[in-house]
Every structure is written in structure tokens, then in C-alpha cells.
Amino acid sequence: MSSYHHLTIEERENIYIMRHDGLSINIIADKIHRSPATISRELKRNNSIYSPSKAQRRYRNCKTNCGRKAILSIVEALKIIKHLFLDFQSRILESS
């Protein structure tokens, strides 16, 4: 089973410098010990003039927006808990 590690800002800067120097995707991949497909995807994903800082911002933005979304907000959850607690409390008082 292989594990995937996201590109770091340093790797993105190296890609930028080496690409600017005219190196091929395969040579860049060899130098930073990544797959040529990873380098190719990174360059395609940021298809205008490649900028490591813009690529890193895009990554962080996507990362913060990923994952499962909350079904209830904290405020809604607290309202439901309060309602259930008060209902439970009133039932106990009625039964005594």
C-alpha cells in the first residue's frame, strides 16, 4: 500500500525554478524524488503561469473546504440538547 504526501511549498518552489530553467518534467521528478505524473498534475492544475505561492494557497483553500460537512451547527445542536433536557426534566417531575 502506497502513501500519498502532498507537495510542500519547498517542492513547489523547486518545480518553479527547475521548470523556469527549462528542465523536463521527468528530470524535475527525478530531482525532487516524485513521480512525473505528480509534477505534470501540479503544472496542469495551476495552468496559467506557475506560481508556487498561488499553488500553495489553492491547496490550503481546498484542504480547509474538504471533509464531511456538519449536519447541525453548534447553535442548533445546543437548542436540541436544551429542549431534550427540559423535556426529560419535566417528565421526571411529573412522575414523582
Side-chain angles (χ1 to χ4, degrees):
M1 179 167 91
S2 67
S3 62
Y4 174 78
H5 300 283
H6 295 277
L7 291 171
T8 64
I9 185 65
E10 291 83 13
E11 289 173 317
R12 288 187 168 102
E13 288 169 348
N14 286 333
I15 291 169
Y16 171 76
I17 291 167
M18 288 186 262
R19 195 64 175 161
H20 188 264
D21 290 344
L23 298 178
S24 72
I25 289 174
N26 287 329
I27 292 173
I28 295 170
D30 285 341
K31 288 189 181 256
I32 67 170
H33 308 290
R34 293 289 191 148
S35 164
T38 300
I39 308 305
S40 177
R41 274 193 309 272
E42 178 69 8
L43 293 170
K44 285 181 186 175
R45 206 176 273 138
N46 302 285
N47 58 3
S48 59
I49 298 172
Y50 185 75
S51 164
S53 58
K54 285 183 183 178
Q56 187 71 13
R57 270 195 306 266
R58 184 176 183 273
Y59 160 72
R60 284 190 188 140
N61 187 36
C62 290
K63 188 74 174 161
T64 57
N65 293 328
C66 73
R68 186 174 181 181
K69 305 301 181 235
I71 296 172
L72 295 174
S73 70
I74 298 294
V75 173
E76 291 170 324
L78 289 174
K79 284 180 184 177
I80 292 170
I81 292 169
K82 181 179 177 183
H83 174 73
L84 291 172
F85 176 75
L86 292 175
D87 184 51
F88 177 74
Q89 189 178 29
S90 66
R91 287 181 187 205
I92 291 203
L93 291 174
E94 287 173 1
S95 66
S96 15

